[in-house]
Amino acid sequence: MLKSMELPDCIYSSQPVTILPCAPTPKHSLYLSNLDDQKFLRFSIKYMYLFKKSVSLDILKSSLSRVLVDYYPLAGRLRRTSSQDDHKLEVDCNGEGAVFAEAFMDTTTQELLEPSKTPNKSWRKFLYKVEAQSFLDVPPLVVQVTSLCCGGMILCTAISHCLCDGIGTSQFLHAWAQLTAKPQAHLTIMPFHCRHPLKPRKPPQVKFRHPGYTAASPSPQVNLFNLIQSHPLVPTSLTLTPSHLLCLKKQCIPPLKCTSFEAVAAHTWRSWIRSLNPSPPSTLLVKLLFSVNVRTIVNLPHGYYGNGFLLACAESTVEDLVKGKLEHGVKLVQEGKARLKDEEYVRSVVDLLEDKTVKTDLSTTLVISQWSKLGLEEVDFGEGKALHMGPLTTDIYCLFLPVMDDVDAVRVVLSVPENMVDSFHYHMKQGWQTKQQNGDDDNNGYHENGFL
C-alpha cells in the first residue's frame, strides 16, 4: 500500500493553460458582502476527488469554459476597492479566466484510496501552485487534473472562499459536472451573483453580543491557537459509523434530544480540549465555532453561491466542559445554533463586520466546518461518482466529511500536534467505552488509525 509520504512526483507535459469563458460575459465590479470579505476567509477551499475512470481533458476544459459563462466572477480577479477603505475587497469581473493544469502520476486509484483518507502535505502536489505575491494575485479558480496509470484521475480545485462558501462551491462543481456529462443541458440551478441582499444597514445596528468575534485587544492570557501552531501538525482521521453516532446521542437521552452533528461536535470539542490539557483548566473560557447556513433565515435568493453562512459559537469553561456530561456541550451547541435562527441576530453580525477591526476569535477556539451535508460527494462528471472526496490539506480547522459508501456516517479530520494524536484518539474513543464494556461489538470498527 502506497503511504501518503511516498507519492511520486507529478509529471507536467506542458504549462498550465488559462480557460476563458466561451462567450462574452459582463464586465463590472462585483460587490462582496461583509460575510464574503472577512479576513478569516481569505484563502482557497481546496477539494480533492479520486475517480476510478478519467474524463477527457478536452471535454473537461470545454465544459469549464462553458460553465464560466454562468459563473463568470470565478473567471475574474479579486482586488481592493478604489474607495478609501483599503480593507474592502471586490471582484473585477474581467473574464481573465481560470487556471487549468494537466499532470500525470505513476500510481493507481487503489494505491491512493486508503492513504487519501488522511490529508498530508505531500498531497499538495496534486494542485498546481500559482506563484503569487499575495492572496489577491491568485485566480479565484485553479484546477489540476492528474491522470493515473490505471486510467483513473485525481481532480483538485482551489476556489476562493471570498466568492463561495461550501454550498456555493458544491453548486458550482455540480454545474460543471452537469455540463461535462451533458453538454447541451441547461443548468439545474442558475447562479445568483449579487451580494447586496447582505449589505449592512446604515447606520450599523449591532444589537447582540457576538462571542465568536473580537475587536483588536490585548492578547489573551492563554492562546491555544498560537500554542498549537507552534508545533508541527499531524492530520488525524476518524470515521464514526451510525452505531457510534447512536451511542453518542444516547448519552443525552432522555433529557435531551439532539442531532448527530450536535453530538459529534460537542464530543470532538471536549476530546480536543482534554487532549490539549490547558492550564489553568478551571477558569479558562474555550469556544467552539461551527458553520451554520443562514440562507433561509435572511431569505437569500435561490442559487446564491456567495458566503451565506455564519459561525455559531458555543463557549464554556474548561472545567465544565471536561468534567460535565456530554449533554452540557450539546446544549451549548444547540444554543449557538438557535441564536442564528433570528434574522435580527444575523443582520447584527453583518453590521458588526462593518468594523474592520473585528475579527474571528481563534485564541481558545476549535473551528468545525461541516462538509458532510453539502452533496460534494455526489459530483459526477459522467464516468461515475468519486471513490474519495475530501480536503487536499487540513492545517487548522476540523472538518466533518461525508463517507462515500455510508450516507449516515461521518469522518472527522483534524490536524493536531504530534504529541497529542494518541490522546485525542483516546478521548474520542471514550464515547464508546461504556457500550464496549457492556459487551456490545463496536470494537471491530477501531484500529490504530481511528474508527473505520
Side-chain angles (χ1 to χ4, degrees):
M1 183 67 70
L2 185 67
K3 295 181 181 180
S4 56
M5 289 298 291
E6 299 175 349
L7 290 176
D9 289 335
C10 282
I11 300 171
Y12 295 90
S13 58
S14 60
Q15 289 294 313
V17 297
T18 300
I19 305 297
L20 304 176
C22 67
T25 56
K27 302 295 190 291
H28 64 91
S29 297
L30 177 66
Y31 165 83
L32 294 178
S33 79
N34 284 347
L35 300 190
D36 296 318
D37 198 30
Q38 299 176 77
K39 290 186 177 180
F40 175 70
L41 299 183
R42 294 187 182 183
F43 65 93
S44 295
I45 307 174
K46 298 178 176 66
Y47 296 126
M48 172 180 163
Y49 284 89
L50 174 61
F51 291 98
K52 184 176 182 179
K53 189 174 180 180
S54 63
V55 179
S56 162
L57 292 172
D58 288 339
I59 291 176
L60 283 172
K61 288 187 283 190
S62 175
S63 58
L64 180 59
S65 178
R66 168 64 185 84
V67 80
L68 285 176
V69 175
D70 294 300
Y71 285 86
Y72 66 88
L74 288 174
R77 296 294 183 267
L78 283 166
R79 67 183 180 190
R80 290 184 173 86
T81 63
S82 57
S83 67
Q84 294 181 349
D85 182 7
D86 62 355
H87 295 285
K88 186 70 177 172
L89 300 182
E90 63 184 10
V91 183
D92 180 12
C93 298
N94 54 21
E96 287 190 12
V99 173
F100 191 102
E102 304 173 24
F104 172 81
M105 181 176 283
D106 188 16
T107 186
T108 67
T109 56
Q110 285 305 310
E111 289 178 307
L112 293 172
L113 184 56
E114 192 61 32
S116 66
K117 294 178 181 178
T118 302
N120 188 285
K121 288 183 179 180
S122 68
W123 295 78
R124 291 176 179 173
K125 62 181 65 179
F126 283 124
L127 183 64
Y128 179 78
K129 184 177 180 181
V130 176
E131 296 298 332
Q133 292 185 343
S134 74
F135 169 68
L136 295 181
D137 298 320
V138 178
L141 177 61
V142 178
V143 176
Q144 178 172 317
V145 178
T146 304
S147 300
L148 306 176
C149 62
C150 63
M153 74 174 186
I154 296 277
L155 187 147
C156 283
T157 59
I159 305 173
S160 173
H161 210 327
C162 291
L163 272 72
C164 308
D165 62 6
I167 291 174
T169 54
S170 179
Q171 181 179 307
F172 166 73
L173 290 171
H174 276 279
W176 181 19
Q178 182 182 359
L179 294 179
T180 305
K182 299 178 180 179
Q184 304 305 317
H186 296 285
L187 293 184
T188 303
I189 301 176
M190 291 301 297
F192 185 89
H193 303 293
C194 179
R195 310 299 166 93
H196 284 77
L198 285 174
K199 285 203 76 170
R201 295 169 291 194
K202 292 186 178 180
Q205 302 172 42
V206 182
K207 300 179 179 180
F208 302 89
R209 174 178 176 264
H210 299 291
Y213 297 92
T214 181
S217 60
S219 299
Q221 183 179 3
V222 177
N223 193 316
L224 298 181
F225 179 82
N226 288 345
L227 177 65
I228 291 171
Q229 293 298 306
S230 67
H231 297 276
L233 298 181
V234 176
T236 182
S237 174
L238 304 96
T239 299
L240 282 65
T241 67
S243 62
H244 296 140
L245 300 178
L246 181 62
C247 191
L248 277 180
K249 289 195 285 185
K250 280 184 175 180
Q251 295 180 39
C252 301
I253 299 174
L256 184 66
K257 187 175 182 179
C258 65
T259 65
S260 293
F261 171 82
E262 291 162 357
V264 178
H267 181 58
T268 303
W269 184 28
R270 186 168 64 162
S271 300
W272 178 76
I273 201 64
R274 281 175 167 171
S275 303
L276 283 172
N277 192 24
S279 179
S282 58
T283 58
L284 181 65
L285 190 67
V286 292
K287 299 177 182 180
L288 173 69
L289 298 179
F290 55 96
S291 52
V292 175
N293 177 22
V294 297
R295 282 168 168 76
T296 59
I297 306 302
V298 291
N299 296 314
L300 293 180
H302 185 61
Y304 189 94
Y305 65 97
N307 288 281
F309 79 97
L310 287 179
L311 290 174
C313 181
E315 53 184 347
S316 171
T317 64
V318 171
E319 183 176 35
D320 289 343
L321 184 61
V322 169
K323 294 184 178 179
K325 294 182 179 179
L326 179 62
E327 65 183 70
H328 168 73
V330 170
K331 285 181 180 179
L332 296 176
V333 170
Q334 291 178 335
E335 290 168 2
K337 287 173 62 177
R339 284 191 286 269
L340 294 183
K341 293 181 180 179
D342 179 359
E343 182 175 359
E344 275 297 313
Y345 189 92
V346 174
R347 295 290 178 185
S348 180
V349 174
V350 174
D351 290 356
L352 173 72
L353 293 174
E354 190 70 356
D355 179 355
K356 298 307 178 184
T357 66
V358 170
K359 58 184 180 180
T360 308
D361 183 9
L362 299 178
S363 59
T364 58
T365 306
L366 176 67
V367 182
I368 293 176
S369 181
Q370 180 164 323
W371 292 12
S372 57
K373 301 297 180 183
L374 303 179
L376 289 162
E377 73 278 15
E378 299 294 324
V379 171
D380 185 347
F381 286 87
E383 296 292 351
K385 298 176 185 178
L387 300 174
H388 164 81
M389 177 273 152
L392 188 63
T393 59
T394 174
D395 295 328
I396 302 175
Y397 313 123
C398 177
L399 299 176
F400 286 3
L401 302 175
V403 177
M404 304 306 291
D405 55 354
D406 192 342
V407 69
D408 295 318
V410 62
R411 185 158 58 95
V412 177
V413 174
L414 174 65
S415 288
V416 297
E418 187 172 10
N419 62 2
M420 182 179 151
V421 172
D422 291 342
S423 177
F424 179 69
H425 279 212
Y426 170 79
H427 290 299
M428 286 291 286
K429 209 170 44 165
Q430 296 309 294
W432 293 266
Q433 186 178 49
T434 301
K435 190 169 184 179
Q436 290 170 358
Q437 287 175 345
N438 290 337
D440 290 326
D441 188 22
D442 267 351
N443 193 49
N444 60 7
Y446 183 77
H447 76 350
E448 65 272 13
N449 290 325
F451 296 102
L452 293 173

